[in-house]
Amino acid sequence: MDDDRIKAIVEWLADGARTAAAPQLVLLELCERMVEAGVPLWRTAAFVRTLHPQIMGRRFLWVPDAGVTVSEAPHDLLATPTYRDSPVARVCLSGQGLRRRLADPACPIDLNTLAELREEGVTDYVATPLIFTDGAVHAATWTTRTPGGFSDAHIAAIESVVAPLARVAEVRALRRLAGNLLDTYVGHQAGERILSGHIRRGDSEAIAAAIWLSDMRGFTMMADRLPPKTTIDLLNRYFDCQIPAIAERGGEVLKFMGDGLLAIFPIEGHDTDAVCRRALDAARQAREDIAGLDGWDNGTNGPRFGLALHLGEVLYGNIGGGERLDFTCIGPAVNMAARIERLAAALGRTVLASSRFARECQADMAGVGDFVLPGISETQAIYGLAEEASRS
């Protein structure tokens, strides 16, 4: 054991592990340094809970010569015997560490993974709590295959790095938590802008974008007739039909307005036609998925939703009052999309587009007619999907 190297590791962690740019690199460098210092680690893992609508936590697993792999666990895992009977669950619940000397034939194999680890040649297993400053308990596990297991000096070295490792893990987790929450509530691109310092009211910029504004048909009637939980379930499944289609094609969902959804597909450079085609592909995918939803009865035989597509410049940034801001987009182009969406409802059409948008996807669009839209001074040529025109 090289006590000076262990001391240097503790100092490196206490200083924020600055040489490791990403969380997985922290564990990689930590384990490599500890092995060099004489701690015979074979497999080390860190388990950190997170605040995310779909992910319960993340596991960082280090194995010699294989680096660090990162996996994510869904919330459903918490209710499974696999998790409840695991050493990690025991540590997180109790806040106390545990050790199993697997080289000892009398060692109790009372938790998941221990029998498997013994078969893999693990001689000693240590799980330590990583306690954050708010009292939340996460965990790290340390194993070795050296004969006889960890020595007292090895255990002391592990224990010396646990507290500073918890501080580093907490800082990195908080940064990721901020990103997760912003991604969830304002969208990834808007979240990146906020994290980079765009947080003052009026802090905005004009960008070119394809605009998506959609609305569920008959939602008010269904909400009055269905139980609240059923309504929420249907609404969530309805949005599930749109959000992946938008995100997978480079779009950004900005706002939910009851059963309405506002999204943009930012245009960078001169790829206007490609962006519009992606938006149109997303519209077709959403239309198909929504048509397949069960449990839907809006009292009519018409379209289940309406969608307006427009192309223009929007003001993208912070709008609000006092300390309550919203990161969204506004402008005449958004107003135009809103008017087109209302026209789609009046005409019983699913997808309508402005002439500016339709010019970028001419082969897919067919003229519906010229219309005077409320609040718009000039008559507007409106287009729909060619396949919908052929069915009408």
Side-chain angles (χ1 to χ4, degrees):
M1 280 287 300
D2 189 329
D3 292 338
D4 289 338
R5 285 192 172 188
I6 294 298
K7 182 179 179 181
I9 293 171
V10 172
E11 293 174 349
W12 169 72
L13 289 170
D15 193 43
R18 299 187 188 187
T19 57
Q24 57 267 35
L25 298 180
V26 173
L27 186 63
L28 176 65
E29 189 169 344
L30 170 63
C31 293
E32 289 178 344
R33 286 186 175 213
M34 292 186 72
V35 170
E36 291 172 358
V39 181
L41 296 175
W42 175 65
R43 191 172 79 171
T44 299
F47 303 84
V48 180
R49 296 279 295 273
T50 188
L51 189 60
H52 188 281
Q54 296 174 312
I55 300 167
M56 176 270 288
R58 307 173 78 210
R59 181 186 75 165
F60 301 84
L61 174 64
W62 173 84
V63 177
D65 302 322
V68 175
T69 57
V70 182
S71 56
E72 297 176 336
H75 288 281
D76 293 344
L77 181 66
L78 290 172
T80 66
T82 299
Y83 178 78
R84 290 199 308 265
D85 299 332
S86 70
V88 169
R90 176 80 62 85
V91 169
C92 290
L93 182 63
S94 68
Q96 302 295 318
L98 62 85
R99 183 180 185 184
R100 294 294 183 269
R101 301 173 187 264
L102 299 179
D104 182 354
C107 175
I109 306 300
D110 55 343
L111 296 167
N112 286 341
T113 76
L114 295 181
E116 180 183 343
L117 290 172
R118 175 183 273 178
E119 290 178 1
E120 293 175 357
V122 172
T123 57
D124 211 343
Y125 178 93
V126 175
T128 57
L130 299 176
I131 303 176
F132 286 9
T133 54
D134 64 354
V137 181
H138 309 265
T141 62
W142 319 79
T143 66
T144 185
R145 294 200 294 187
T146 195
F150 291 122
S151 68
D152 290 344
H154 298 151
I155 294 296
I158 291 172
E159 291 177 345
S160 71
V161 304
V162 168
L165 175 60
R167 297 291 78 74
V168 172
E170 182 170 13
V171 170
R172 303 298 176 98
L174 286 173
R175 174 74 182 188
R176 185 172 183 83
L177 171 61
N180 285 343
L181 292 177
L182 287 171
D183 284 356
T184 300
Y185 287 98
V186 303
H188 181 67
Q189 296 175 39
E192 285 190 336
R193 290 170 184 254
I194 292 170
L195 282 177
S196 66
H198 295 271
I199 59 173
R200 297 186 62 188
R201 185 172 68 169
D203 191 354
S204 60
E205 64 177 305
I207 65 170
I211 303 163
W212 169 302
L213 190 58
S214 61
D215 188 68
M216 181 190 286
R217 297 289 178 253
F219 176 70
T220 301
M221 183 184 301
M222 285 191 288
D224 286 341
R225 190 171 63 251
L226 297 174
K229 289 185 177 180
T230 303
T231 301
I232 292 298
D233 175 68
L234 177 61
L235 194 58
N236 284 333
R237 290 189 291 121
Y238 164 72
F239 285 130
D240 279 341
C241 293
Q242 298 180 71
I243 295 169
I246 293 169
E248 289 167 6
R249 293 165 177 83
E252 178 88 348
V253 174
L254 294 182
K255 185 183 290 294
F256 299 100
M257 302 159 288
D259 57 310
L261 186 154
L262 172 64
I264 59 172
F265 293 76
I267 296 170
E268 299 178 1
H270 302 284
D271 61 345
T272 303
D273 58 338
V275 171
C276 290
R277 282 196 297 271
R278 291 201 302 270
L280 192 58
D281 288 343
R284 285 192 167 112
Q285 182 66 57
R287 181 187 60 176
E288 179 180 339
D289 292 344
I290 290 171
L293 279 178
D294 58 8
W296 186 299
D297 179 13
N298 61 4
T300 74
N301 294 320
R304 291 183 163 189
F305 87 120
L307 167 62
L309 296 170
H310 183 41
L311 178 65
E313 187 176 84
V314 298
L315 196 61
Y316 184 54
N318 287 302
I319 301 166
E323 297 181 353
R324 180 62 177 90
L325 302 177
D326 189 14
F327 206 100
T328 187
C329 67
I330 62 170
V334 178
N335 297 337
M336 172 72 81
R339 303 300 189 272
I340 296 173
E341 188 279 319
R342 291 174 189 169
L343 179 63
L347 298 180
R349 299 291 290 258
T350 301
V351 180
L352 289 183
S354 67
S355 58
R356 289 193 63 185
F357 185 95
R359 278 197 297 268
E360 306 297 332
C361 306
Q362 293 185 30
D364 298 281
M365 310 301 293
V368 174
D370 296 334
F371 296 87
V372 176
L373 302 179
I376 307 297
S377 59
E378 298 181 359
T379 299
Q380 300 295 316
I382 302 299
Y383 293 76
L385 291 175
E387 63 264 28
E388 289 191 357
S390 66
R391 292 198 299 266
S392 59

